[in-house]
Amino acid sequence: KPVRLLFIDGNHSYAAVRKDVLNWEPFIVDGGVIAMHDALNPVVGPTRAIVNLILKDKSFSDLGIMDSIFWAVKKPPQSWSEKFNWWFFTVMMRLINRLLGLKRRRFVRQYLVKRWLKRILTRITLARLVLEERCES
């Protein structure tokens, strides 16, 4: 049956998250949402799946992060703001994926990703949502 909200949480290995995304993504309806817990966790699985599977093609837009939850709406970006949002999150998630892949400096990696980048992405998401709400009203 069609799925309007797919929330992925559980095993954080890349293989498990990849399997979940590949098995369930075809059932998400246009306009449906895929959400993933621990997207900015030092365990690389969810972040790598976001970069390699969800952001690889432009079939998702309206991307956002709130604390440790990433979400994307299944629809191609159409307006310039949706395209910019897609580009920005693609660049940021690739950077985070690279930082999480570092072998050394675990403290710096966790501090940058879990504290600094998570806060920035959450604030940018909140600002975008508030701005969109103000433009609609």
Side-chain angles (χ1 to χ4, degrees):
K1 292 186 175 185
V3 175
R4 291 179 52 198
L5 171 64
L6 175 62
F7 186 78
I8 298 175
D9 187 18
N11 187 338
H12 293 91
S13 70
Y14 176 67
V17 178
R18 182 179 188 277
K19 182 179 176 185
D20 287 341
V21 171
L22 292 176
N23 286 342
W24 285 96
E25 189 272 332
F27 296 105
I28 301 173
V29 299
D30 289 339
V33 176
I34 185 170
M36 198 173 299
H37 186 245
D38 287 334
L40 301 179
N41 191 322
V43 179
V44 182
T47 306
R48 201 166 140 207
I50 291 167
V51 170
N52 292 342
L53 301 172
I54 297 172
L55 299 175
K56 193 85 169 180
D57 60 9
K58 292 185 179 180
S59 59
F60 287 92
S61 64
D62 292 337
L63 311 167
I65 288 183
M66 195 64 60
D67 194 33
S68 64
I69 297 176
F70 168 87
W71 73 84
V73 177
K74 189 173 184 178
K75 68 172 187 154
Q78 296 167 351
S79 68
W80 67 269
S81 63
E82 288 176 349
K83 290 177 183 176
F84 180 78
N85 179 256
W86 179 88
W87 174 84
F88 176 78
F89 270 91
T90 300
V91 168
M92 292 302 291
M93 293 307 291
R94 284 182 181 160
L95 171 65
I96 290 167
N97 190 39
R98 207 170 273 242
L99 288 171
L100 291 175
L102 294 174
K103 299 282 185 211
R104 298 181 184 176
R105 301 183 182 146
R106 182 177 176 180
F107 173 76
V108 172
R109 180 180 69 204
Q110 286 185 334
Y111 181 77
L112 279 174
V113 173
K114 289 190 82 173
R115 305 264 191 266
W116 191 64
L117 291 173
K118 184 191 318 187
R119 286 182 183 160
I120 287 174
L121 291 174
T122 297
R123 288 182 180 150
I124 287 171
T125 300
L126 283 171
R128 182 178 60 88
L129 293 173
V130 168
L131 184 63
E132 286 176 1
E133 186 177 312
R134 286 183 182 168
C135 290
E136 288 176 3
S137 57

